[in-house]
C-alpha cells in the first residue's frame, strides 16, 4: 500500500462485537477481557507450511459504512521450504482452557465457589447471537456458570443499565460484558462505563485502561485480544524485551492497548496508522508486528523484515465463489508472501481468534479468585 495506493484503516471492534458469520459485517477478530499468567509455558511450534505451492488470491471485500469496495490481489510463489512457522492459536487456547478447567474445579472443591460470567445481548443480530452462544458453550466447557439476558432491539438505555446494575450487585457473577454493537439509540460508552470495574472482564473501563497506561500501576483486567497476542509470544518463547515492535492500527480495543503491553514488555514500539507517512518503511524495521486494521492483505512481503514475528489480528471476509459460504477469511497480512520472509506468523483463521474467548474465561476466573482471595 504505499505510493499511489491509499491506505485505509478500519477501527477494530470489541471482543463483544460479533463476527465471522455474516459476510462483510466484521473487519477484525478482536477480544474482550481476560488473560492468563505471565509464566512462559511453551507449546510446540506448529508445522511448516506446504512446500512448492504457487498461490494467486484475488479478494473483494463487501461494502460497509466504514470501508469502500476493494480489490486486493495477493500472489506469491512459495519456496521449496517455507521459512515461517505457524503460531497455533487454536492449540494454545485449548491449553489455556484446560488450565482454566483445572482451576475452576480446584476452586469449587476448596471453597464451593464457581466463577460466573454474565452477557447482555440487545437486539436480534444473528452474528451477535452466534457469538453469545459460543461464549456460553465455552463457559460450559470449563465449568464456568453462564448468565444471559437477551433484550429486544427497542430496549431503552435505562433498561439495559438496570440489568447491568443487577449483575453488578450479584455475588455469583464475577464478570459482565455487553455484546456489541448496541442499537444506535443506546450510548455505548454510558453502558460500558456502568459495568463495575471489578467485573469488567472485557477490560474496557477507563480506569482499567488508565492503569494499563501508567508505569507502576496494574489494571484489574486487560482487553483480551492484545493480551492474547502477548500470550502467544510468551508461550512460543519469543523474546520481546529490547525488540523493535510495530503495531498497525490504533483502536482503543486492540492497537492502543497492544502498544501499551509491548511497551510494558520493554519493547521499543511504533504505531502505524492512517496518517503515518511511509508505513512500509517503518513496519520493515520491526522484529515483531501486530496488525489490527481490518484490511485484507494490506501488509505485503515487502513490508516485513526477514525473521520478523507476525501476529495478524485481522479477520476479513472476502468473496470466494469456490467457498460454500460464498466467502472466506483472510488476515491483514498477505500470508503467502509473509511466509517467505517472517520467522513465525499466526494463521487466519486459527491464530489470534481462538485466544479471544480463552482470555475472557481466564479473566472471569481471575475475577472470582480476587473476590474470594483464592490463590
Amino acid at each position: 500500500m504505499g505510493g499511489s495506493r491509499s491506505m485505509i484503516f478500519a477501527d477494530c471492534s470489541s471482543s463483544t462485537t460479533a463476527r465471522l458469520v455474516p459476510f462483510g459485517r466484521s473487519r477484525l477478530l478482536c477480544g474482550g477481557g481476560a488473560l492468563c499468567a505471565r509464566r512462559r509455558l511453551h507449546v510446540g511450534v506448529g508445522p511448516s507450511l506446504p512446500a512448492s505451492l504457487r498461490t494467486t488470491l484475488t479478494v473483494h471485500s463487501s461494502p460497509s459504512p466504514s470501508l469502500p469496495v476493494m480489490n486486493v490481489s495477493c500472489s506469491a510463489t512459495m519456496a521449496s521450504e517455507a521459512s515461517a512457522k505457524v503460531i497455533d492459536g487454536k492449540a494454545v487456547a485449548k491449553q489455556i482452557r484446560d488450565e482454566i478447567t483445572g482451576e475452576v474445579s480446584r476452586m469449587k472443591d476448596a471453597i464451593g465457589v464457581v466463577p460466573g460470567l454474565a452477557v447482555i445481548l440487545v437486539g436480534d443480530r444473528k452474528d451477535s447471537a452466534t457469538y453469545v452462544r459460543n461464549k456460553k458453550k465455552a463457559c460450559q466447557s470449563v465449568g464456568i456458570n453462564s448468565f444471559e439476558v437477551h433484550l429486544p432491539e427497542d430496549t431503552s438505555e435505562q433498561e439495559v443499565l438496570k440489568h447491568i446494575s443487577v449483575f453488578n450487585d450479584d455475588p455469583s457473577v464475577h464478570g459482565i460484558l455487553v455484546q456489541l454493537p448496541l442499537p444506535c439509540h443506546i450510548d455505548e460508552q454510558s453502558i460500558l462505563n456502568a459495568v463495575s470495574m471489578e467485573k469488567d472482564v472485557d477490560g474496557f473501563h477507563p480506569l482499567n485502561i488508565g492503569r494499563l497506561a501508567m508505569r507502576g500501576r496494574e489494571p484489574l483486567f486487560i482487553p483480551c485480544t492484545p493480551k492474547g497476542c502477548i500470550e502467544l509470544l510468551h508461550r512460543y518463547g519469543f523474546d520481546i524485551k529490547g525488540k523493535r515492535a510495530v503495531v498497525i492500527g490504533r483502536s482503543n480495543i486492540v492497537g492502543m492497548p497492544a502498544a501499551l503491553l509491548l511497551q510494558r514488555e520493554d519493547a521499543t514500539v511504533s504505531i502505524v496508522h492512517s496518517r503515518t507517512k511511509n508505513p512500509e518503511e517503518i513496519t520493515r524495521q520491526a522484529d515483531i508486528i501486530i496488525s489490527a486494521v481490518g484490511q485484507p492483505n494490506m501488509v505485503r512481503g515487502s513490508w516485513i523484515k526477514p525473521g520478523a514475528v507476525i501476529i495478524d489480528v485481522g479477520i476479513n471476509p472476502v468473496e470466494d465463489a469456490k467457498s460454500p459460504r460464498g466467502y472466506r477469511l483472510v488476515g491483514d497480512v498477505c500470508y503467502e508472501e509473509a511466509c517467505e520472509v517472517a520467522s513465525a506468523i499466526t494463521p487466519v483463521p486459527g491464530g489470534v481468534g481462538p485466544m479471544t474467548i480463552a482470555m475472557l474465561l481466564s479473566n472471569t476466573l481471575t475475577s472470582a479468585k480476587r473476590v474470594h482471595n483464592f490463590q
Side-chain angles (χ1 to χ4, degrees):
M1 299 284 233
S4 62
R5 299 178 70 183
S6 62
M7 181 177 302
I8 304 168
F9 285 73
D11 208 17
C12 84
S13 60
S14 79
S15 71
T16 52
T17 302
R19 52 208 177 257
L20 292 179
V21 180
F23 171 70
R25 287 224 181 142
S26 293
R27 286 295 179 266
L28 281 180
L29 185 52
C30 302
L35 202 296
C36 20
R38 297 224 173 194
R39 60 181 178 275
R40 269 69 165 170
L41 179 56
H42 304 157
V43 300
V45 175
S48 296
L49 294 167
S52 306
L53 174 65
R54 181 177 180 86
T55 303
T56 301
L57 168 66
T58 302
V59 295
H60 309 274
S61 69
S62 67
S64 121
S66 59
L67 295 171
V69 175
M70 294 179 62
N71 294 328
V72 183
S73 176
C74 172
S75 62
T77 302
M78 302 298 289
S80 59
E81 188 66 37
S83 59
K85 294 293 184 179
V86 177
I87 300 173
D88 190 345
K90 191 173 181 180
V92 175
K94 183 184 184 304
Q95 185 177 31
I96 292 169
R97 290 197 308 270
D98 289 344
E99 293 166 5
I100 293 169
T101 300
E103 285 297 286
V104 169
S105 179
R106 186 173 71 88
M107 188 175 186
K108 182 179 179 180
D109 292 343
I111 61 174
V113 172
V114 176
L117 175 65
V119 180
I120 298 174
L121 173 62
V122 184
D124 298 310
R125 284 177 58 126
K126 291 181 180 178
D127 50 358
S128 294
T130 297
Y131 194 50
V132 167
R133 281 197 303 272
N134 289 341
K135 288 173 181 173
K136 187 174 183 178
K137 289 178 183 177
C139 285
Q140 291 171 345
S141 73
V142 299
I144 289 177
N145 288 333
S146 177
F147 306 90
E148 181 186 337
V149 170
H150 189 178
L151 303 171
E153 179 83 16
D154 59 357
T155 300
S156 70
E157 184 173 313
Q158 286 303 314
E159 185 68 17
V160 179
L161 290 171
K162 188 186 301 182
H163 284 283
I164 292 173
S165 179
V166 169
F167 284 137
N168 280 341
D169 295 336
D170 187 344
S172 66
V173 173
H174 304 97
I176 303 169
L177 61 84
V178 181
Q179 182 71 32
L180 302 179
L182 290 166
C184 46
H185 68 277
I186 297 176
D187 181 60
E188 184 175 295
Q189 287 305 312
S190 295
I191 296 299
L192 296 180
N193 290 347
V195 175
S196 167
M197 181 179 169
E198 288 75 20
K199 298 186 180 185
D200 172 40
V201 289
D202 255 341
F204 297 156
H205 194 287
L207 291 179
N208 277 323
I209 293 294
R211 288 183 177 187
L212 178 64
M214 297 177 69
R215 291 177 62 85
R217 300 290 185 92
E218 293 296 328
L220 296 181
F221 306 103
I222 293 170
C224 173
T225 296
K227 191 67 183 278
C229 294
I230 301 300
E231 187 69 7
L232 284 174
L233 294 172
H234 283 173
R235 295 205 176 208
Y236 268 82
F238 296 119
D239 192 21
I240 303 174
K241 185 175 183 179
K243 301 296 184 182
R244 298 197 70 160
V246 166
V247 177
I248 306 177
R250 55 178 172 177
S251 71
N252 289 335
I253 307 306
V254 181
M256 179 269 292
L260 292 173
L261 284 170
L262 286 165
Q263 193 166 277
R264 279 182 167 240
E265 297 279 338
D266 296 321
T268 300
V269 185
S270 298
I271 300 176
V272 169
H273 52 79
S274 57
R275 299 294 184 266
T276 300
K277 296 180 179 178
N278 302 318
E280 181 177 343
E281 258 178 53
I282 295 169
T283 305
R284 200 184 296 119
Q285 298 172 19
D287 302 301
I288 298 168
I289 299 170
I290 296 179
S291 182
V293 291
Q295 290 298 316
N297 300 312
M298 188 188 80
V299 179
R300 314 307 295 246
S302 62
W303 291 44
I304 300 165
K305 175 182 177 180
V309 176
I310 300 174
I311 306 293
D312 190 350
V313 181
I315 186 160
N316 308 291
V318 296
E319 291 175 359
D320 184 353
K322 295 180 181 179
S323 170
R325 298 175 296 183
Y327 70 93
R328 59 196 178 87
L329 302 173
V330 300
D332 292 344
V333 179
C334 179
Y335 191 83
E336 291 81 8
E337 293 179 8
C339 285
E340 291 284 305
V341 188
S343 63
I345 185 171
T346 56
V348 177
V352 176
M355 297 294 288
T356 298
I357 292 180
M359 301 297 94
L360 179 63
L361 299 175
S362 181
N363 246 15
T364 303
L365 172 62
T366 298
S367 179
K369 284 185 171 183
R370 184 185 292 123
V371 169
H372 295 279
N373 197 26
F374 182 76
Q375 302 298 320

